[in-house]
Amino acid sequence: MSANPDHPAHPDHPFRSPVRSPATVVIVGAGPRATGLIERIAANAPELYGDGAPFALHLVDPHPPGGGRIWRPDQSPLLWMNSMAEDVTMFTDESVEREGPIRPGPSLAEWAREVRGAEPSHALPPELAAEAAALTGQSFATRRLQSAYLRWVYERAVADLPPGTTVHEHRDRAVRVTGPRDGRQQVWLEGRTAPLTADAVVLALGHLDAEPDAEQRALTAFAAEHQLTHLPPEYTADSDLSALRPGEPVIVRGLGLAFVDLMVLLTEGRGGRYERGPDGELAYRPSGREPVLYAGSRRGVPYHAKIGYSLSGERPPVPRFFGPAEVDALLSRPGRPDFRRDVWPLIAKELGFAHYHRLFTAHPERVAGEWSAFEEKYAACPPGSPDLDVLVAAAVPDPADRLDLDALDHPLAGLRFGGHEALQQALRGHIEADLARRHDRAHSPDLAVFLALLSVYGQLIRLGDIGGWWHGFFSFLASGPPGPRLEQLLALSRAGVVRFLGADMTVTPDPVRGVFRASAASVPGHTVEARALVEARLPEPTVDRSRDTLLRSLYRDGAAATPAGLLAVSPADARILDRAGRPHPRRYALGPHTDARASGAFARPRTNAPAFRQNDATARALLLCLRELSCRATATA
Ligand SMILES: Cc1cc2nc3c(=O)[nH]c(=O)nc-3n(C[C@H](O)[C@H](O)[C@H](O)COP(=O)(O)OP(=O)(O)OC[C@H]3O[C@@H](n4cnc5c(N)ncnc54)[C@H](O)[C@@H]3O)c2cc1C
């Protein structure tokens, strides 16, 4: 008999089922979400599982646990996080509304400081050690350094599990979950004939690839017919970019974070470098191996730069107009709330409140009157009403100090440029102004709006799937690239390696010339032809269009999905719902493929981050389930 419980001959090995193995949890997906869940299982176990029999935890992921696929160690060192190191934490603090204990731990920035103390457990490869040594709270770490942080968090969480817990890592892909509602579950792994047997299963599948939709299939077929290149939406670090040839034009649709990754891999990734001139301006020195990127999108501008300063003074007192009470009211009405009609006005009011609160309290010289008087009238004005416009116009003399969410969402609306070069200059001006503003405390109401956006994000979780527009708007305002990336984009634009196309961009296949053709509303009559088209955005997998066999089969077997195709889970503890709305007693799902995805990004310290709340609730539900099983097993022994 094998002494190793991970060996199939061992009696406790879950591939061998005649002897009952210890209570077993299988977590599919071992990225940040799973790591956070394990941290919460460890934190809650002393209270909820103190006297339980040892249990087994099985982790299934083809990528290494801790970072998983997105944050795996073997990726280009040129790719960065788009969060500042001080804004990324995997540990709870007193702001988190949860039942379980707080277990403090370092943020990424604090961990990097600890690494400098060179504890042996923090041993890092030399290039990461050097990066950690230079990292400040405001730095944007490489994805590889974040990978090391996540691995460290994972190892610490595993070490904190109750004594006797066994952890088994399976570098496999799970393809199906079967089993009765009220009994043990089987998790089937690709290429294995016997399943893992589990008392409870958690799906932390994260960002998934999608089957192409009809438009993408047609573009791929057109590309094949005319020997062109078409890269559909995918995770850029996994894309094969070799078909994008030096000097050739490439049409790029999308100016978000996938665009930034693409830009980096095709420029510095191909040997180009940046130099700062005597005037302080960054210049790009091409290697000659770069293609020419013609980039546009619906808005036509890149996402707003990350704000480059931290908050001083009072935090905006939110939630105020969109908090738990407003969400309760929305949920108590019959039918699903309509985002535009029912939810957006409350959000707009909340964002405006944060903006004006900051303007009145931090920049009183730019307003007329007292905050208390303004606040009272603001509270009484319906969102978007003419009364609100009148109130704001009277109190805030400079229109540039007023919050105009519509203008923010459509920065190039109505603007037409005389030619391609005029657009390039205008867009460089737009990006320069954005960079300057986002690093200037005189515009600190922007930071207040950002914090209110995070608060709103946390509240929206309880409403489940609220459609895609909000996520795009949030990302555009709050999840943009690091400032230095926009500086690089400006340098690439000046070097002619990136050329902007403008807003309301369209791409059409031209069968006569056998090319892709792109145009945009910003420069009427201007079109670009190219033999390559890249969709610079992440796939948006729905349960039925996901490439993940496990998720698709779960849906086929009766799991419920939201109208936007997300896996429906119970808000309380993330149990997977069936189409009758019943939570599965033994199956859970957390993360971006579920309708509780509002917690997509890493937690910022002291923001009551939704992911912590969800992980805590799910960990507690799991432990209670395990304890019940362990008690039952003792009673029948
Ligand atoms: C490119 C990119 C950059 C990002 N950058 C930031 C950032 O800088 N700051 C920030 O706050 N947020 C960022 N995010 C958002 C978010 O932090 C990441 O979102 C985080 O990775 C989500 O963690 P997760 O565990 O839910 O999903 P993932 O990281 O996607 O992990 C899911 C894991 O599940 C595994 N898996 C999936 N299906 C199966 C299966 N059937 N069988 C076995 N394993 C499976 C995958 O291999 C993967 O390892 C980024 C997201 C992306 C995509």
Side-chain angles (χ1 to χ4, degrees):
M1 188 207 302
S2 166
N4 174 5
D6 214 9
H7 192 284
H10 191 280
D12 284 349
H13 193 278
F15 282 126
R16 191 192 142 108
S17 357
V19 180
R20 201 194 192 288
S21 50
T24 301
V25 176
V26 173
I27 304 181
V28 183
R33 205 54 206 256
T35 300
L37 179 67
I38 298 170
E39 190 279 332
R40 286 289 85 200
I41 293 175
N44 280 288
E47 176 201 337
L48 298 181
Y49 201 75
D51 48 2
F55 62 88
L57 203 57
H58 288 259
L59 280 168
V60 183
D61 197 319
H63 296 284
R69 176 188 179 192
I70 309 288
W71 306 98
R72 59 187 187 238
D74 60 334
Q75 58 181 305
S76 168
L78 296 171
L79 296 173
W80 298 350
M81 300 198 76
N82 70 318
S83 310
M84 285 185 194
E86 67 187 11
D87 288 341
V88 175
T89 189
M90 292 289 289
F91 296 99
T92 47
D93 56 44
E94 60 296 337
S95 75
V96 181
E97 289 162 13
R98 89 279 128 213
E99 284 184 62
I102 296 167
R103 287 271 179 95
S107 67
L108 170 61
E110 290 161 347
W111 172 81
R113 271 202 294 279
E114 286 176 19
V115 170
R116 275 172 237 155
E119 286 175 36
S121 62
H122 286 161
L124 288 177
E127 70 282 8
L128 291 188
E131 185 189 343
L135 198 83
T136 70
Q138 288 79 45
S139 303
F140 294 91
T142 60
R143 290 203 193 138
R144 287 179 0 146
L145 190 66
Q146 172 69 351
S147 171
Y149 170 63
L150 290 169
R151 180 73 200 183
W152 175 82
V153 176
Y154 167 73
E155 284 170 3
R156 175 173 144 156
V158 164
D160 284 347
L161 287 167
T165 310
T166 53
V167 176
H168 312 265
E169 296 175 5
H170 305 266
R171 293 288 172 86
D172 291 296
R173 186 162 291 288
V175 288
R176 191 142 189 228
V177 181
T178 54
R181 271 183 74 79
D182 53 358
R184 302 190 93 194
Q185 307 290 298
Q186 288 80 44
V187 180
W188 299 82
L189 309 188
E190 200 167 56
R192 301 260 200 159
T193 46
L196 291 169
T197 303
D199 294 295
V201 181
V202 184
L203 306 183
L205 307 178
H207 300 280
L208 296 166
D209 298 327
E211 295 297 343
D213 62 15
E215 187 201 8
Q216 294 300 318
R217 283 198 303 274
L219 290 168
T220 303
F222 178 77
E225 195 184 327
H226 296 274
Q227 287 88 48
L228 309 178
T229 301
H230 170 235
L231 300 186
E234 56 193 350
Y235 173 41
T236 317
D238 287 343
S239 301
D240 177 3
L241 303 177
S242 58
L244 307 177
R245 282 193 286 266
E248 289 204 357
V250 173
I251 296 170
V252 182
R253 186 150 50 174
L255 283 167
L257 296 177
F259 167 76
V260 173
D261 284 358
L262 182 79
M263 164 191 117
V264 169
L265 293 174
L266 289 174
T267 52
E268 274 185 291
R270 291 209 174 167
R273 13 182 216 95
Y274 293 95
E275 267 171 26
R276 203 167 284 284
D279 55 355
E281 192 172 87
L282 203 64
Y284 182 69
R285 305 283 172 237
S287 68
R289 294 194 284 126
E290 306 83 350
V292 181
L293 304 180
Y294 286 86
S297 67
R298 185 177 67 78
R299 291 191 186 89
V301 299
Y303 287 6
H304 286 284
K306 275 269 143 50
I307 294 178
Y309 52 89
S310 41
L311 186 75
S312 54
E314 202 186 333
R315 288 180 81 82
V318 290
R320 170 69 193 275
F321 293 101
F322 189 61
E326 287 72 26
V327 175
D328 285 346
L330 287 168
L331 288 172
S332 67
R333 292 194 210 161
R336 258 189 121 74
D338 177 86
F339 181 76
R340 270 287 160 192
R341 187 195 57 209
D342 307 323
V343 188
W344 174 246
L346 297 168
I347 296 177
K349 189 139 183 180
E350 185 81 324
L351 301 182
F353 174 73
H355 174 93
Y356 293 114
H357 170 268
R358 181 74 193 177
L359 191 67
F360 271 82
T361 52
H363 310 286
E365 70 289 354
R366 283 154 46 194
V367 296
E370 292 297 319
W371 166 243
S372 54
F374 180 88
E375 183 185 18
E376 197 178 306
K377 290 187 193 140
Y378 183 87
C381 287
S385 64
D387 288 354
L388 189 62
D389 292 344
V390 171
L391 172 71
V392 168
V396 184
D398 185 350
D401 278 333
R402 300 174 197 157
L403 181 66
D404 185 342
L405 293 170
D406 209 34
L408 274 176
D409 192 30
H410 302 100
L412 300 184
L415 294 179
R416 298 289 175 266
F417 299 89
H420 183 66
E421 268 323 305
L423 174 74
Q424 307 312 300
Q425 281 177 25
L427 271 194
R428 286 199 290 270
H430 171 92
I431 297 168
E432 279 159 6
D434 182 57
L435 262 175
R437 177 172 177 140
R438 293 264 163 162
H439 290 80
D440 181 354
R441 285 176 191 279
H443 295 284
S444 70
D446 291 354
L447 181 54
V449 170
F450 169 79
L451 294 170
L453 280 163
L454 294 185
S455 165
V456 166
Y457 222 118
Q459 302 301 331
L460 283 172
I461 229 179
R462 288 176 53 219
L463 293 181
D465 178 2
I466 41 109
W469 178 85
W470 158 258
H471 292 278
F473 181 72
F474 176 89
S475 301
F476 176 63
L477 274 189
S479 189
R485 287 299 195 209
L486 288 181
E487 243 197 309
Q488 293 176 347
L489 175 58
L490 285 169
L492 291 169
S493 166
R494 286 190 293 268
V497 177
V498 172
R499 294 169 196 255
F500 301 109
L501 284 171
D504 296 322
M505 168 190 184
T506 54
V507 178
T508 42
D510 180 339
V512 177
R513 292 185 49 83
V515 292
F516 293 114
R517 193 179 275 289
S519 57
S522 308
V523 188
H526 180 253
T527 63
V528 170
E529 280 184 10
R531 299 183 55 76
L533 166 65
V534 180
E535 307 286 2
R537 60 181 188 277
L538 282 177
E540 284 189 10
T542 55
V543 279
D544 55 339
R545 277 210 8 255
S546 159
R547 283 235 163 103
D548 197 83
T549 320
L550 171 56
L551 190 60
R552 276 209 317 267
S553 69
L554 205 69
Y555 180 58
R556 261 201 322 271
D557 294 346
T562 68
L566 298 169
L567 191 65
V569 296
S570 63
D573 54 14
R575 285 174 209 253
I576 297 175
L577 300 178
D578 68 12
R579 289 184 194 146
R582 290 180 309 168
H584 197 291
R586 290 170 182 254
R587 296 182 186 171
Y588 301 78
L590 290 165
H593 61 298
T594 71
D595 64 345
R597 69 172 168 167
S599 47
F602 286 110
R604 291 163 64 93
R606 295 174 297 284
T607 55
N608 188 18
F612 288 147
R613 287 184 263 149
Q614 289 176 333
N615 288 350
D616 192 66
T618 302
R620 292 177 72 85
L622 276 170
L623 285 164
L624 290 173
C625 165
L626 290 181
R627 189 170 70 181
E628 203 187 304
L629 290 165
S630 142
C631 294
R632 250 193 262 158
T634 320
T636 50

